[in-house]
Amino acid sequence: MKIAIIEDELLAVNYLKDLLDKQTIVPITEIVILRSKKQAIDFFKNDAADLLFMDIHLGDGMSLEIFEQVELFTPIIFITAFDEYAMRVFKHFTIDYLLKPFEEEDLHKALQKFISIRGNFNPEPVLKSISALYKANDTEKMKHFMVTDGNKIKSVPEENTAYFFASGKYLFLTTTDNRTYIYDDTIKDIIFKLTPKLFFKINRKFIINKMAIVEIIKHSSQKIELKLSPAPEINSDVFVSKRQITDFLQWMTN
């Protein structure tokens, strides 16, 4: 039996793999590790698995976006750290989900459920539910961001948000008129609340609005620099991470 794990956190990957290696509920011949949405898409274009463990939130986007690129007829066990979202997903899918941090017993129950239903697994309603869930999630993106300006609270519309950037322990929001505010969130979490066609996480520190890009400089195939307006206060040199370059260039064309 071939299992694929789609998970971007290395510790979570190793933990799950160790538990799978120790269990005796299902025989495993191979475990494939896919650390990003792009890796998963590339893999499933030419290969398949018997069971899929999938984190909902990945470093390069929502894992549900994978289904827009490839057809998957594989039973899925979702992994998530967000209880509310997990419950919504669970209502749509016929296998199970693991809520981080999960225990060995939780994995065993999910595998036993997989065994009990795999003979009658019908991928068609699952795929339709995935599509509906992804579209529903997309409509819930944040359109305004609440920030503090002295003793006042302001609402910044998404179209007036040039970019988010992380510095130290804080996340900052910079507006198109060059005002910068502390924003109460993390760069890892805020990306999933933004409109995908408008915002892109180019590296571990920056999430940019497409409209803030004034120039793209290609130093090499693995080094792309962006000039933003307004220019960032903390660092005038802004580069797209190597692993994000292909997705970034595709995002720019949409």
Side-chain angles (χ1 to χ4, degrees), residues 90-117:
F90 181 61
K91 292 176 183 178
H92 284 272
F93 296 96
T94 56
I95 306 300
D96 209 341
Y97 75 93
L98 296 173
L99 182 63
K100 296 178 180 177
F102 59 89
E103 303 292 336
E104 186 173 16
E105 182 181 355
D106 300 319
L107 173 64
H108 289 179
K109 288 180 180 179
L111 290 174
Q112 287 164 351
K113 184 176 181 182
F114 162 68
I115 290 174
S116 68
I117 68 172

Side-chain angles (χ1 to χ4, degrees), residues 79-196:
I79 310 168
T80 179
F82 301 91
D83 186 48
E84 179 181 354
Y85 200 83
M87 293 306 296
R88 289 176 52 203
V89 171
F90 181 61
K91 292 176 183 178
H92 284 272
F93 296 96
T94 56
I95 306 300
D96 209 341
Y97 75 93
L98 296 173
L99 182 63
K100 296 178 180 177
F102 59 89
E103 303 292 336
E104 186 173 16
E105 182 181 355
D106 300 319
L107 173 64
H108 289 179
K109 288 180 180 179
L111 290 174
Q112 287 164 351
K113 184 176 181 182
F114 162 68
I115 290 174
S116 68
I117 68 172
R118 62 178 172 178
N120 299 316
F121 179 72
N122 182 4
E124 185 173 354
V126 176
L127 293 173
K128 288 181 179 179
S129 295
I130 289 172
S131 177
L133 183 64
Y134 178 69
K135 289 177 182 177
N137 181 67
D138 193 51
T139 63
E140 296 172 3
K141 300 302 183 184
M142 296 177 67
K143 303 297 182 180
H144 293 80
F145 310 102
M146 306 305 294
V147 297
T148 302
D149 185 13
N151 62 349
K152 298 179 181 179
I153 297 177
K154 296 175 60 175
S155 175
V156 180
E158 63 175 2
E159 62 269 21
N160 293 347
T161 302
Y163 46 81
F164 295 87
F165 68 90
S167 180
K169 297 180 179 179
Y170 298 100
L171 179 67
F172 296 88
L173 181 157
T174 296
T175 63
T176 53
D177 60 351
N178 204 15
R179 298 290 302 276
T180 297
Y181 306 94
I182 293 177
Y183 191 73
D184 186 19
D185 210 326
T186 66
I187 197 164
K188 184 176 181 181
D189 291 341
I190 189 65
I191 185 62
F192 302 111
K193 305 170 187 177
L194 305 176
T195 304

Side-chain angles (χ1 to χ4, degrees), residues 5 7 9-19 21 33:
I5 300 174
E7 168 66 77
E9 297 180 7
L10 186 57
L11 288 177
V13 169
N14 291 337
Y15 176 69
L16 177 55
K17 187 176 182 302
D18 287 344
L19 292 183
D21 286 337
I33 308 299

Side-chain angles (χ1 to χ4, degrees), residues 8 21 34 48 74 76-77 80 125 133 145 177 208 212 217-218:
D8 62 334
D21 286 337
L34 305 167
T74 308
I76 302 166
I77 295 175
T80 179
L133 183 64
F145 310 102
D177 60 351
I208 59 169
I217 304 171
K218 187 176 182 180

Side-chain angles (χ1 to χ4, degrees), residues 5-67:
I5 300 174
I6 303 179
E7 168 66 77
D8 62 334
E9 297 180 7
L10 186 57
L11 288 177
V13 169
N14 291 337
Y15 176 69
L16 177 55
K17 187 176 182 302
D18 287 344
L19 292 183
L20 288 170
D21 286 337
K22 289 194 302 182
Q23 61 81 38
T24 58
I25 299 170
V26 296
I28 300 175
T29 56
E30 183 180 0
I31 298 178
V32 178
I33 308 299
L34 305 167
R35 298 286 304 282
S36 69
K37 181 183 69 177
K38 183 180 184 304
Q39 283 185 9
I41 291 170
D42 291 343
F43 174 82
F44 285 110
K45 281 181 178 179
N46 303 299
D47 213 327
D50 301 298
L51 176 62
L52 178 59
F53 288 86
M54 177 184 287
D55 194 352
I56 294 173
H57 292 149
L58 301 172
D60 59 346
M62 297 286 290
S63 62
L64 301 182
E65 295 171 355
I66 294 169
F67 300 96

